[in-house]
Amino acid sequence: MHPILVLQSALEAHIDIHGETDLLGDEVVAVETEAPPAAPKQALSEPPPPQPARPVGTAEPDTKSAAPPGPPAVEPRPVPAAEPAPEPQRPSPVENPYQRISALIPADSPIARIDTLEALRSFVAETELIELDHTRKNPVFGVGNPEADLMVIGEAPGADEDAQGEPFVGRAGQLLTKILGAIGFEREDVYIANILKSRPPNNRDPRPDEVAAHIPVLYRQIALIQPKVMLCVGKTAGNSLLGRNASLKSMRGTFQDFHGLPVLVTYHPAALLRNPNWKRPTWEDVQLLREKYDQLTAGA
């Protein structure tokens, strides 16, 4: 309301708006309305801190389009170098049966270094490998063609062989000669030897330790003669050569493999003298032997 109108209303009501009545005085104090409080002044914001000056020639960074900072970069670990692949092993030269058989002889044995049949014969005559070598009359090394394609192997000398120093010279030897002749072989065409080179007492079977001591001599004979096929007469001869403990029935009638050489096992001639019924299966066996021999020597 205007100050003059306020004053007029106060006089008419005799109200002293200041707490006093001034009816006698001519001076009237004008009452002004209280002015509204002034609005508070807005505080001035502090100026931003000065930015460091950019070097001349550098572009102003784009703060609007810049992506928010990501995680700190992780340096890649060094990958270890791959080991070179091993070189393929070259196949060793293929050994023939005679090399494999020679490898059966212990490397520290003097037999392994003997390179002729005559030198091997002398070694057997001069060396005692087992007790029987001391009690024998004569060593029974072997006889026949030193380049034979057929080799006949028995178990051990008998009394006649011990006396003469030659294998298969008694009645059993005579029958063996007839059997060989029936399939077209002369005794001189083949090579005949035994597992043992000395006679066991009373013609007993050779013991395992005796076989182990003497069989390297036979291995060396085979390696030096290099037969294409072998005939073992008797179960003891077959098992000793092949390293088995089998029956004669299970071994005969078919060829066995001895480190790449075919081996036929049949009855011993001495057994045929005791049991003539075994001559028929023996005849069948030696016919197989002849067929195999012809196959292996064809064109030789």
Side-chain angles (χ1 to χ4, degrees):
M1 182 178 294
H2 196 277
I4 297 176
L5 296 178
V6 173
L7 176 60
Q8 183 178 358
S9 298
L11 289 175
E12 294 177 347
H14 302 283
I15 298 174
D16 184 2
I17 61 175
H18 295 285
E20 294 183 357
T21 304
D22 190 4
L23 299 176
L24 299 177
D26 297 330
E27 184 178 359
V28 179
V29 179
V31 178
E32 295 181 356
T33 60
E34 185 176 352
K41 295 182 179 179
Q42 185 176 2
L44 298 177
S45 59
E46 296 182 359
Q51 298 294 328
R54 294 193 310 274
V56 177
T58 59
E60 183 178 356
D62 186 3
T63 58
K64 293 182 180 180
S65 61
V74 178
E75 295 185 2
R77 296 180 180 179
V79 179
E83 296 183 0
E87 295 183 2
Q89 295 183 352
R90 296 181 179 179
S92 58
V94 178
E95 296 178 337
N96 61 42
Y98 313 110
Q99 291 172 316
R100 290 193 288 269
I101 294 170
S102 290
L104 300 176
I105 304 171
D108 59 348
S109 171
I111 297 172
R113 297 185 292 275
I114 297 176
D115 56 4
T116 66
L117 280 178
E118 286 306 313
L120 188 60
R121 182 191 296 273
S122 298
F123 174 83
V124 170
E126 299 167 1
T127 308
E128 292 185 4
L129 298 173
I130 55 176
E131 174 93 20
L132 300 180
D133 297 340
H134 179 70
T135 59
R136 68 193 177 195
K137 292 181 180 179
N138 290 295
V140 183
F141 179 74
V143 66
N145 181 0
E147 298 179 354
D149 290 326
L150 171 61
M151 190 167 179
V152 181
I153 300 171
E155 58 184 64
D160 293 330
E161 289 77 18
D162 185 37
Q164 299 184 39
E166 184 176 330
F168 288 94
V169 292
R171 291 182 60 215
Q174 294 170 10
L175 182 54
L176 176 63
T177 302
K178 292 180 179 179
I179 293 172
L180 292 173
I183 57 174
F185 290 105
E186 297 294 332
R187 185 180 174 99
E188 294 76 15
D189 295 335
V190 304
Y191 195 92
I192 305 173
N194 284 314
I195 300 291
L196 292 192
K197 311 305 181 186
S198 301
R199 180 197 177 199
N202 303 316
N203 292 338
R204 64 164 171 79
D205 290 340
R207 296 198 306 257
D209 61 306
E210 295 169 342
V211 172
H214 270 205
I215 204 166
V217 177
L218 180 62
Y219 292 157
R220 197 65 187 135
Q221 285 177 298
I222 296 171
L224 292 171
I225 297 168
Q226 299 188 3
K228 290 182 171 61
V229 63
M230 293 186 289
L231 174 68
C232 286
V233 290
K235 181 179 73 173
T236 300
N239 280 326
S240 298
L241 180 68
L242 299 173
R244 301 180 187 174
N245 186 21
S247 66
L248 180 61
K249 182 179 180 180
S250 66
M251 290 188 289
R252 61 160 297 272
T254 186
F255 283 93
Q256 311 296 322
D257 179 79
F258 183 63
H259 300 280
L261 287 182
V263 177
L264 187 70
V265 184
T266 192
Y267 292 96
H268 194 285
L272 301 181
L273 294 175
R274 296 190 301 267
N275 191 340
N277 293 332
W278 290 339
K279 290 183 179 180
R280 171 56 59 181
T282 302
W283 172 243
E284 294 172 355
D285 289 341
V286 296
Q287 285 182 308
L288 292 175
L289 177 70
R290 182 71 216 200
E291 290 177 5
K292 176 66 74 173
Y293 178 91
D294 291 341
Q295 293 173 4
L296 295 175
T297 59

